[in-house]
Amino acid sequence: AQTVTQSQPEMSVQEAETVTLSCTYDTSESDYYLFWYKQPPSRQMILVIRQEAYKQQNATENRFSVNFQKAAKSFSLKISDSQLGDAAMYFCASVSNTGNQFYFGTGTSLTVIP
Amino acid sequence: EAGVAQSPRYKIIEKRQSVAFWCNPISGHATLYWYQQILGQGPKLLIQFQNNGVVDDSQLPKDRFSAERLKGVDSTLKIQPAKLEDSAVYLCASSTYRVGYTFGSGTRLTVV
């Protein structure tokens, strides 16, 4: 089994500033994938960014980037130039290459202050 | 492409009543999942289907929960009888592979 830990229940950031959300995971798998999902009040889980564990290069999607430290089993999300629409719950998740089940962290609630 | 459709959006029932949720996955997605998300927690897998066969239902409380996916397309999740602790958001997701994993908007169940 895999476990995902998000140690920051709540975070806040000023609009246009940068914020980093933390995530650590534990897995015995050698090949796996890591994800950040955004869940606004509408409850829709929206994929923010995806990282393949075999890739050393950190994934980037516009204002969103990750800092993937495989040895430390750390997978943090950096949001640059924060916007009001970024306010949501953010979930870190992992899935192994041999299975399809996602393991989710408990989430970080992000508030963006105008 | 159309997303994963779920209904109803909200449901309020009394304990010991029964309730059913419906999910229509993205066309062509062979794998369908039901997750339970209790307030303040991340989603937890209840059951995974591959076409119309069950792949993993190890965390499904089978004494009260049941799910089916007839014809390998739509799926229903039923709770009978409901308990107060079943109050949660029930998320459906479908995928062809990890990159194609898509969630529906969920059904918020309140058991009173």
Side-chain angles (χ1 to χ4, degrees):
Chain A
Q2 303 177 47
T3 59
V4 178
T5 303
Q6 292 179 252
S7 59
Q8 305 156 316
E10 299 178 343
M11 291 284 285
S12 62
V13 62
Q14 292 280 349
E15 192 176 5
E17 295 296 309
T18 296
V19 64
T20 299
L21 308 184
S22 301
C23 172
T24 58
Y25 62 93
D26 190 17
T27 179
S28 58
E29 303 283 344
S30 58
D31 192 12
Y32 52 91
Y33 300 78
L34 298 166
F35 302 79
W36 278 98
Y37 276 88
K38 170 184 177 182
Q39 188 179 41
S42 67
R43 303 197 301 268
Q44 183 84 46
M45 294 284 275
I46 302 166
L47 178 64
V48 174
I49 200 163
R50 172 179 182 265
Q51 173 84 42
E52 292 88 343
Y54 64 85
K55 289 187 178 179
Q56 293 184 339
Q57 185 174 5
N58 289 325
T60 300
E61 285 288 339
N62 300 315
R63 298 181 296 107
F64 299 88
S65 62
V66 299
N67 183 4
F68 174 46
Q69 302 290 327
K70 190 171 184 178
K73 294 184 178 177
S74 170
F75 182 61
S76 61
L77 174 70
K78 185 172 81 171
I79 307 175
S80 304
D81 186 25
S82 297
Q83 301 175 1
L84 295 177
D86 295 334
M89 282 289 289
Y90 286 80
F91 290 96
C92 180
S94 70
V95 62
S96 74
N97 192 38
T98 56
N100 275 318
Q101 179 182 165
F102 273 56
Y103 293 87
F104 287 89
T106 51
T108 297
S109 178
L110 179 66
T111 301
V112 181
I113 303 167
Chain B
E1 68 180 357
V4 175
Q6 288 189 249
S7 67
R9 284 279 286 170
Y10 304 91
K11 190 73 176 179
I12 302 174
I13 62 172
E14 294 182 351
K15 59 183 179 183
R16 292 187 289 275
Q17 286 188 323
S18 62
V19 64
F21 313 128
W22 172 82
C23 173
N24 184 8
I26 291 176
S27 177
H29 280 196
T31 311
L32 184 147
Y33 315 78
W34 283 101
Y35 282 84
Q36 180 192 57
Q37 185 178 17
I38 293 173
L39 183 65
Q41 299 181 18
K44 181 188 79 172
L45 180 70
L46 290 175
I47 189 167
Q48 176 187 339
F49 291 95
Q50 184 71 21
N51 296 310
N52 61 345
V54 175
V55 174
D56 183 354
D57 64 355
S58 58
Q59 298 187 86
L60 186 74
K62 298 181 185 64
D63 58 332
R64 298 183 300 104
F65 285 65
S66 65
E68 61 181 9
R69 190 183 183 196
L70 299 177
K71 301 179 182 178
V73 183
D74 294 6
S75 176
T76 56
L77 176 69
K78 298 179 182 178
I79 307 174
Q80 181 179 10
K83 292 185 175 181
L84 296 177
E85 58 261 35
D86 297 333
S87 295
V89 173
Y90 291 85
L91 292 166
C92 179
S94 69
S95 74
T96 55
Y97 192 59
R98 288 159 208 86
V99 67
Y101 207 97
T102 304
F103 284 88
S105 296
T107 295
R108 180 180 296 279
L109 173 67
T110 303
V111 183
V112 297

